[in-house]
């Protein structure tokens, strides 16, 4: 499994120094440590990076990843809402985010939704990102 992940350019999350029972992220994809940046103004972001962000948010909402791991990709308000939301996705296994459906309602804003497959049911995760300089930040999210 590890060789297939590296062949795809993906890495497992590093071992967490936190209490593994409370913040277990084993099997989760590691987020790139660089900020989410994509090309010149007006350029659409890389769909793979958007899916990884959606996957990470789904893992936080399922209680499988600590919220601090995505803090640099959210505005302060969105991060507070994420922490306040707690566990919103109930799943016996790690969630899996499908391909994002992306819309750009205006220059500098992206809205996407992903189907998050879980057990016993799937959820929808909607995310809004806005460009702040060259970096894209999640400003809002919603799940059902």
């Amino acid at each position: 499994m590890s060789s297939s992940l590296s062949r795809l350019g993906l890495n497992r999350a590093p071992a967490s120094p936190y209490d593994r029972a409370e913040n277990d992220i084993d099997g989760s994809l590691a987020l790139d440590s660089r900020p989410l940046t994509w090309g010149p103004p007006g350029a659409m972001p890389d769909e793979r990076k958007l899916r990884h962000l959606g996957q990470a948010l789904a893992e936080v909402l399922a209680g499988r990843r600590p919220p601090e791991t995505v803090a640099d990709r959210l505005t302060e308000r969105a991060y507070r809402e994420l922490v306040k939301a707690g566990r919103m996705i109930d799943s016996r296994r790690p969630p899996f985010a499908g391909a994002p459906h992306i819309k750009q309602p205006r220059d500098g804003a992206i809205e996407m939704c992903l189907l998050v497959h879980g057990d016993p049911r799937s959820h929808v995760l909607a995310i809004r990102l806005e460009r702040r300089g060259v970096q894209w930040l999640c400003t809002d999210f919603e799940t059902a």
Side-chain angles (χ1 to χ4, degrees):
M1 179 76 171
S2 178
S3 63
S4 63
L5 285 176
S6 59
R7 188 174 63 243
L8 295 172
L10 305 175
N11 299 314
R12 288 204 180 275
S16 174
Y18 304 102
D19 178 9
R20 301 285 299 174
E22 184 175 304
N23 296 311
D24 189 11
I25 59 171
D26 186 40
S28 300
L29 290 176
L31 284 175
D32 191 339
S33 61
R34 297 170 295 204
L36 296 173
T37 58
W38 295 288
M44 283 296 286
D46 181 352
E47 187 175 314
R48 184 182 54 214
K49 289 183 180 182
L50 289 175
R51 191 185 88 64
H52 287 179
L53 175 62
Q55 176 70 36
L57 286 174
E59 290 169 0
V60 171
L61 292 169
R64 297 203 172 250
R65 174 188 290 268
E68 303 85 44
T69 62
V70 295
D72 62 335
R73 284 149 170 81
L74 285 81
T75 61
E76 287 183 35
R77 186 188 68 77
Y79 179 72
R80 282 193 309 271
E81 290 296 318
L82 182 65
V83 171
K84 187 171 124 182
R87 188 172 181 177
M88 295 181 72
I89 297 176
D90 187 28
S91 183
R92 292 184 292 260
R93 62 180 181 162
F96 174 77
H101 298 273
I102 306 164
K103 298 288 183 195
Q104 190 171 17
R106 64 172 176 79
D107 190 38
I110 295 170
E111 294 174 345
M112 69 172 179
C113 65
L114 307 101
L115 184 59
V116 178
H117 304 278
D119 182 30
R121 69 183 199 99
S122 296
H123 298 265
V124 174
L125 177 59
I127 303 169
R128 180 178 174 92
L129 294 111
E130 293 182 7
R131 190 179 197 110
R132 305 284 166 93
V134 296
Q135 187 174 357
W136 289 88
L137 294 175
C138 172
T139 59
D140 204 3
F141 69 91
E142 189 173 319
T143 188

